[in-house]
Amino acid sequence: MAFYVHAEDLRKGSQVLSADGSKMLEVIRTETQHTSKLIELHVEGSAPFITTPTHRIMVPIYGAEPQAQKAEDLKTGSFVLCTNSIARKVSCVTTLCEEREVLAIAFKPDEPVTVCSVPCSMVLTKGLKVKATRRSGMNKRANNPEQDLSEQASAFLCTEPGEYSD
């Protein structure tokens, strides 16, 4: 069962799963940094991702292993690797000029991890409502202990004793 942790909750020594799910990576450093420039990436089929210009993003390389590329070097039309190593097209790259505090995290070994942006507001749902099963006649059984078990089974199966077949 997978679960996700907010980056702020990671500490030195925390363990996270690599993006390909093959191994555990150890957090070896967390550092709060200040930035005045951010990059907002819009990738087809994914939520927008806001990061620092120097953040390393995994990109596919035809005929070779994927490589890390700085977010500021990505262009509209570039491809990036997403969940399950699926290459998706970058549909928009926007530079944002705003002061922000960010968290830099280093892992050992230095391998990709999955990053999920949590929406600030989500719809709460409960799914399908299941009606309670009406159990009429359940007290009759307790009051009539002499009733034959075959009669109980036939009542349950809606057949007469000896008439049931697969």
Side-chain angles (χ1 to χ4, degrees):
M1 177 173 88
F3 65 93
Y4 298 92
V5 177
H6 289 275
E8 305 85 47
D9 295 332
L10 294 174
R11 303 285 178 259
K12 184 176 180 178
S14 295
Q15 300 274 311
V16 298
L17 190 62
S18 63
D20 66 5
S22 68
K23 62 180 73 97
M24 296 302 290
L25 310 178
E26 181 182 356
V27 174
I28 58 172
R29 190 174 86 214
T30 62
E31 180 181 305
T32 302
Q33 299 176 346
H34 297 279
T35 187
S36 58
K37 183 179 176 185
L38 295 165
I39 303 293
E40 182 176 43
L41 296 174
H42 291 261
V43 177
E44 294 176 352
S46 297
F49 179 62
I50 298 175
T51 188
T52 58
T54 58
H55 193 96
R56 299 177 302 153
I57 308 292
M58 296 305 295
V59 296
I61 305 295
Y62 182 74
E65 290 294 313
Q67 293 183 355
Q69 186 173 347
K70 290 180 182 178
E72 66 186 348
D73 295 337
L74 294 171
K75 308 286 182 234
T76 299
S78 299
F79 282 85
V80 296
L81 289 179
C82 296
T83 308
N84 298 323
S85 294
I86 295 173
R88 297 193 186 270
K89 188 186 259 185
V90 175
S91 57
C92 181
V93 179
T94 307
T95 301
L96 308 171
C97 295
E98 61 181 73
E99 292 289 328
R100 191 170 299 179
E101 195 172 85
V102 296
L103 187 62
I105 304 170
F107 301 99
K108 182 180 179 181
D110 183 27
E111 293 198 18
V113 296
T114 302
V115 175
C116 302
S117 298
V118 179
C120 45
S121 177
M122 293 189 273
V123 175
L124 302 180
T125 70
K126 290 180 76 175
L128 177 68
K129 182 174 180 160
V130 179
K131 292 182 181 179
T133 304
R134 188 164 177 254
R135 307 291 291 206
S136 67
M138 292 301 290
N139 282 338
K140 292 178 187 175
R141 194 177 316 160
N143 295 334
N144 188 3
E146 298 91 35
Q147 187 177 16
D148 183 13
L149 290 177
S150 65
E151 289 177 24
Q152 289 180 12
S154 67
F156 178 73
L157 297 171
C158 301
T159 62
E160 291 297 317
E163 290 185 5
Y164 177 77
S165 64
D166 253 344

